[in-house]
Amino acid sequence: MTDDATRAMTRAVRLRRLRRTDGLRRMVRETRLDAAQFIWPLFVRSGTGIRTPIGSMPGVFQTSVDELLRDAERAVAAGIGGILLFGIPATKDAEGSSAWDPHGPVPQAVRAVKQALPQLVVITDVCMCEYTDHGHCGLLTPAGDVDNDATLALLAREALAHAEAGADIIAPSDMMDHRVGHLRAALDAAGHTHVPIMSYAAKYASAFYGPFREAAESTPSFGDRRSYQMDPANGREAIREVRLDVLEGADILMVKPAGAYLDIIAAVKQDTAMPLAAYQVSGEYSMIRAAAERGWVDGERAMLESLVAIARAGADLIITYFAIDAAAALRGR
Ligand code: PBG
């Protein structure tokens, strides 16, 4: 074809035609958000009547179980898919033994929510960092390294305490090798064959977790998490991580953080038929909230744009502190 003929043809193509009205844009929209795909992280501690704001996360609180029930009710009313529970224990020690206390905040909260709102999916985060006095995600060797294989047994005790309380899904976030297989075997041996594992499969050592560590009181007292969480520079390694978790019996995979790792979400989606979750973490949330407070961005639009981007990249489920606000914004449209 001559250049002129090609040019004449392309002149017939006008991409703006389908953007002209809201009705047209809505009709050809490729990605739709649904409150049912949102998972709302909540921080629970013991006591009653507690609702403590987290300074670095406006709109996010540490609550006691009674107050958490109010939030769980709001989640159900908003049609949110599920909640993800993090516990702040009354006491911490070197091995994080309160992690498997059946009367700890997480098992208590699970029992209370499942009794009051059986239809709400309750997921529990399984990790040692909230429970150890040193703040690392596992047991330390005398040299101060995190001991992978010794940590597996502690994670299993924690997961069993959550399953026994009635958790619908267990979500290990520790990044120890082989923990999915170990937890699967431990759950099965105790009769919890029906409890799925949502694995934090590709979890990066990220600066975006900063505000969470205030919320969960889990900042490491020395060092960092780079010997167990992934190097942000690595993409192919994420595929190795998720393939290993699939072989070990994971039911749902997760990429974390989300916004700066959309390529990883897309690559994992390509590589597997597994349900895929992405965690829009505390720093992603707080940056949008902070910029909106200053009037630098339109908070609601930035929130929805960040979420639709995560879905467009391939996430089926989105864990987000915006869950309740995003559900309300979607209803209002
Ligand atoms: C604990 C855990 C962390 C997050 C979820 N589970 C913190 C960390 O690994 O340091 C981060 C969540 C967030 O930033 O919102 N292992």
Side-chain angles (χ1 to χ4, degrees), residues 25-34 37 304-305 307-315 318 330 333:
R25 290 191 293 269
R26 220 173 128 235
M27 188 182 266
V28 298
R29 189 156 292 145
E30 297 176 31
T31 309
R32 287 174 211 283
L33 293 171
D34 179 352
Q37 77 191 134
L304 291 174
E305 187 174 330
L307 293 170
V308 86
I310 294 164
R312 189 192 65 230
I318 305 177
L330 292 177
R333 291 209 300 186

Side-chain angles (χ1 to χ4, degrees), residues 218-263:
S218 65
T219 308
S221 60
F222 67 92
D224 54 46
R225 304 207 201 290
R226 280 184 275 197
S227 80
Y228 39 103
Q229 299 178 351
M230 288 177 60
D231 184 337
N234 291 0
R236 292 195 308 273
E237 188 189 353
I239 302 298
R240 297 187 70 204
E241 277 285 2
V242 302
R243 285 183 184 169
L244 181 59
D245 285 6
V246 172
L247 289 175
E248 291 181 29
D251 299 279
I252 301 173
L253 301 173
M254 191 201 302
V255 172
K256 175 182 172 195
Y261 295 84
L262 297 180
D263 59 328

